Amino acid sequence: MGVWRWRRNPLRRKTDLVEAWVAFAALLCVLLVAPAVGWVVGVQVDGTLQRAAHEQRQERHLVAAVVLQPVPKAAADASAEPSAQQTAPRRTQVVASWTAPDGTRHEGTVPAAAEPPRPGEPFRMWTDASGRLVGQPLAPTAAAFHAGVAGLAATVGAAALAETVRRLVVRRLMHRRYARLDRAWAAAWRDWGRAGAGS
């Protein structure tokens, strides 16, 4: 639709040519620059997350634990924060014992692995080297997924930025066109249609 703006014709204004070049630049940004930005962001985020996942796999260990007894429901509710009770689903707490990777024995209250927990039931949980309870390490596939989402978001953001800049420039050009038209009309309207006035 904007190709006509490049053709030489007496009705083409300077702002038409500027608008055409701005549209072309925005199209190049959307088709080439935005995907390149998304790819760079995705690669950077993936590298960072993969390193973090590798470190977590080195520092966290899956250890065997045994259920000693379920924690009474009243005690579990009293120990939980009120905001956590409203937002997070309730998981049964159990008193369990486990041996840390460094050989020390531990006993404490942890979330149950199965429902309902039975005393003597074995389960596995993640700890650090000294036996403190930690979360499951980030999986490489999850890291790659998050990196892909970050890259896609960067692509969409860059494309949206290019389109926003194009719209702002076109709006500014339209204001200039209307201002020139108003000035031309103000200069010509008094003589408009009069014989010999050149209108």
Side-chain angles (χ1 to χ4, degrees), residues 57-152:
R57 286 194 304 274
Q58 298 298 318
E59 297 167 355
R60 301 180 184 188
H61 307 276
L62 197 58
V63 300
V66 178
V67 176
L68 299 179
Q69 64 182 26
V71 174
K73 191 169 185 179
D77 289 344
S79 65
E81 296 180 10
S83 60
Q85 290 178 9
Q86 295 172 0
T87 58
R90 291 184 183 172
R91 257 183 98 182
T92 305
Q93 300 283 313
V94 296
V95 177
S97 67
W98 65 93
T99 302
D102 63 4
T104 58
R105 300 267 309 156
H106 295 269
E107 186 175 306
T109 302
V110 297
E115 299 288 347
R118 297 180 183 86
E121 184 177 356
F123 66 99
R124 292 169 74 79
M125 64 182 194
W126 291 96
T127 69
D128 62 10
S130 61
R132 286 191 302 262
L133 189 66
V134 293
Q136 182 176 351
L138 182 66
T141 53
F145 174 77
H146 291 306
V149 170
L152 181 62

Side-chain angles (χ1 to χ4, degrees), residues 10-29:
L11 297 179
R12 189 187 74 184
R13 299 161 293 191
K14 190 180 288 186
T15 56
D16 292 329
L17 193 59
V18 171
E19 183 177 344
W21 280 110
V22 168
F24 181 69
L27 182 64
L28 286 180
C29 285

Side-chain angles (χ1 to χ4, degrees), residues 30 34-35 37-38 149-163:
V30 169
V37 168
V149 170
L152 181 62
T155 300
V156 172
L161 179 63
E163 176 61 14

